């Protein structure tokens, strides 16, 4: 039986207490992301997107409630689940002194794949997402957008069971965004894993998300969860459908209202 994975958030509350300041960011939130499903999350700055993702990635301890990533059939050790975390700050996860290809193929080192084969596999992904980048160029010499795409390429190569992504394309241009989305959708078609994809771009959320959650700063939770009217595969042209244009206007309205004090 091929294992399936699920992300579970149960009654999650996260509060920050620093410098005598108390702030509730997430309040009693519950949802699940099942196998082969992408949950895209949109929200204004400071609405708690990173807090939520980092809680799921176990980088933040919740005030109450829980988050988990589980497998079926249940693995003896959930540490065997490969989670690709695309951090909002890609500089925290890339190796700046290493080359583009070394950064991309790093996960293959743990799979006893020889250097020549690693280069070959890495070059394929590089060609798919950022063909203009010289594979031996050091990552610190790449642009911000290119560095973000390197992190995405590495996530793809790790053959993840789950992807947790925090605005991983915020510095990428439209063409590279589309190339990256296509590559992510290609591996999702093969591996059917659950994914959470946080974004600032409504189009990106509509292209990737099967469900789109609008995270509200005011209510510390989702004020609306939208089932994407577009089925997969989704193309740019689909975003011009009247129904989608209307939905985009509603999402913008929500963001403007939620951002007001
Ligand atoms: N470690 C922390 N200590 C105190 N407050 C924090 C901390 N991390 C985030 N916050 C606050 O929590 C709120 C949500 O932050 P964040 O989850 O980063 O939002 P987003 O990713 O949606 O922009 C913000 O008001 C931010 O200032
Ligand atoms: Mg954030």
């Amino acid at each position: 039986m091929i294992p399936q994975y699920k992300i579970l958030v149960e009654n999650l509350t996260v509060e920050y207490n620093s410098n005598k300041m108390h702030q509730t960011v997430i309040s009693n939130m519950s949802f699940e992301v099942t196998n082969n499903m992408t949950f895209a999350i949109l929200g204004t700055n400071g609405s708690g997107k990173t807090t939520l993702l980092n809680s799921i990635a176990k980088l933040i301890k919740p005030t109450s409630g829980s988050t988990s990533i589980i497998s079926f059939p249940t693995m003896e050790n959930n540490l065997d689940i490969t989670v690709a975390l695309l951090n909002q700050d890609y500089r925290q996860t890339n190796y700046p002194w290493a080359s583009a290809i070394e950064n991309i193929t790093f996960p293959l080192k743990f799979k006893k794949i020889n250097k020549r084969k690693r280069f070959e596999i890495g070059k394929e992904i590089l060609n798919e997402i950022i063909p203009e980048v010289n594979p031996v160029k050091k990552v610190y010499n790449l642009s911000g957008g290119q560095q973000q795409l390197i992190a995405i390429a590495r996530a793809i190569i790790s053959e993840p069971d789950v992807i947790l992504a925090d605005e991983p394309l915020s510095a990428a241009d439209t063409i590279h965004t589309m190339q990256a989305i296509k590559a992510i959708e290609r591996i999702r078609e093969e591996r059917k894993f659950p994914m959470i994809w946080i974004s600032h771009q409504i189009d990106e959320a509509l292209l990737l998300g099967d469900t789109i959650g609008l995270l509200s700063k005011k209510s510390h939770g989702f004020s609306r969860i939208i089932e994407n009217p577009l089925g997969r595969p989704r193309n740019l042209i689909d975003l011009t459908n009247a129904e989608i244009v209307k939905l985009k206007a509603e999402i913008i309205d929500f963001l403007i209202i939620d951002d007001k004090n």
Side-chain angles (χ1 to χ4, degrees):
M1 186 179 171
I2 301 164
Q4 299 197 356
Y5 302 92
K6 193 191 262 190
I7 303 166
L8 276 174
V9 172
E10 292 168 292
N11 308 111
L12 179 72
T13 295
V14 183
E15 293 166 357
Y16 290 117
N17 290 294
S18 55
N19 305 326
K20 294 185 184 152
M21 298 259 286
H22 173 88
Q23 185 181 2
T24 301
V25 179
I26 296 168
S27 175
N28 200 24
M29 177 189 282
S30 298
F31 67 88
E32 61 178 54
V33 185
T34 52
N35 217 42
N36 199 24
M37 171 185 168
T38 293
F39 185 39
I41 298 175
L42 289 165
T44 55
N45 286 336
S47 59
K49 302 182 296 298
T50 298
T51 300
L52 172 59
L53 203 81
N54 285 350
S55 305
I56 296 169
K58 305 284 184 197
L59 298 173
I60 290 177
K61 195 169 179 277
T63 308
S64 61
S66 66
T67 68
S68 44
I69 298 174
I70 54 174
S71 68
F72 307 91
T74 309
M75 282 182 186
E76 260 176 46
N77 184 354
N78 272 356
L79 292 175
D80 287 341
I81 301 175
T82 305
V83 179
L85 174 66
L86 288 164
N87 205 289
Q88 180 162 16
D89 184 357
Y90 48 87
R91 283 163 301 197
Q92 283 180 10
T93 50
N94 281 339
Y95 307 99
W97 62 89
S99 68
I101 204 89
E102 284 167 335
N103 265 275
I104 292 175
T105 58
F106 190 70
L108 300 180
K109 282 196 170 182
F110 303 101
K111 294 188 178 169
K112 296 196 175 71
I113 296 173
N114 71 43
K115 203 172 173 185
R116 229 190 69 202
K117 186 75 186 154
R118 288 205 301 267
F119 190 92
E120 230 173 77
I121 300 171
K123 189 76 176 41
E124 242 174 73
I125 302 279
L126 200 64
N127 282 344
E128 191 177 7
I129 306 184
I130 22 172
E132 72 279 12
V133 166
N134 183 334
V136 297
K137 200 162 179 179
K138 300 281 187 229
V139 153
Y140 66 79
N141 284 328
L142 299 180
S143 75
Q146 287 170 336
Q147 291 190 41
Q148 277 195 319
L149 292 155
I150 293 281
I152 292 179
R154 182 173 54 251
I156 289 175
I157 254 184
S158 71
E159 300 193 325
D161 301 319
V162 172
I163 291 185
L164 303 176
D166 194 356
E167 298 184 34
L169 288 166
S170 56
D173 63 27
T174 309
I175 290 165
H176 288 90
T177 296
M178 290 311 296
Q179 283 166 191
I181 287 176
K182 243 175 132 180
I184 293 277
E185 287 298 73
R186 175 180 62 72
I187 61 155
R188 246 166 45 107
E189 203 45 52
E190 290 162 13
R191 300 176 57 80
K192 320 259 182 240
F193 49 83
M195 178 160 87
I196 295 184
W197 192 277
I198 289 171
S199 179
H200 261 151
Q201 298 296 330
I202 300 175
D203 283 357
E204 194 183 301
L206 283 163
L207 287 171
L208 278 166
D210 301 304
T211 306
I212 298 132
L214 304 185
L215 190 59
S216 162
K217 193 158 35 186
K218 288 188 175 135
S219 68
H220 316 300
F222 291 107
S223 73
R224 186 174 166 193
I225 292 188
I226 301 162
E227 289 300 320
N228 195 339
L230 299 172
R232 288 189 225 154
R234 307 182 184 101
N235 299 304
L236 263 184
I237 191 82
D238 298 333
L239 301 177
T240 60
N241 291 356
E243 185 186 7
I244 298 296
V245 173
K246 184 169 169 281
L247 185 56
K248 280 168 70 171
E250 287 169 16
I251 294 173
I252 293 167
D253 275 348
F254 156 77
L255 294 171
I256 292 169
I257 291 167
D258 198 59
D259 203 40
K260 279 194 187 132
N261 284 322

